[in-house]
Amino acid sequence: MTFQKKHKLGFTSNHPFDKDPVCFKVLPGVKDKLKAIPDWQERLRDFVDELIKGVDACQ
């Protein structure tokens, strides 16, 4: 099956995202546990935003 451009299936978002992902290493087993959490990506993005706000408030 060939890749079709402008198809209707796949990832969609209401927010524009950076083209380069943020990557970090975790302990063994953490990735599988994280993926088992419903809506884990959005929740992680929200947590990162809160983490950054906390750092900005300290400076």
Side-chain angles (χ1 to χ4, degrees):
M1 181 179 205
T2 60
F3 180 78
Q4 297 177 354
K5 293 183 179 181
K6 299 184 180 181
H7 59 86
K8 303 278 185 195
L9 302 174
F11 177 78
T12 59
S13 174
N14 295 333
H15 307 287
F17 291 119
D18 195 326
K19 66 177 184 140
D20 298 322
V22 175
C23 301
F24 58 96
K25 302 264 185 191
V26 294
L27 295 173
V30 171
K31 183 172 77 171
D32 294 329
K33 291 177 184 177
L34 184 64
K35 287 184 175 185
I37 300 170
D39 198 27
W40 69 272
Q41 290 176 323
E42 189 60 34
R43 292 174 66 182
L44 185 58
R45 287 184 194 106
D46 292 342
F47 180 77
V48 169
D49 289 342
E50 290 298 317
L51 185 64
I52 291 169
K53 287 179 188 174
V55 171
D56 288 342
C58 294
Q59 294 179 352

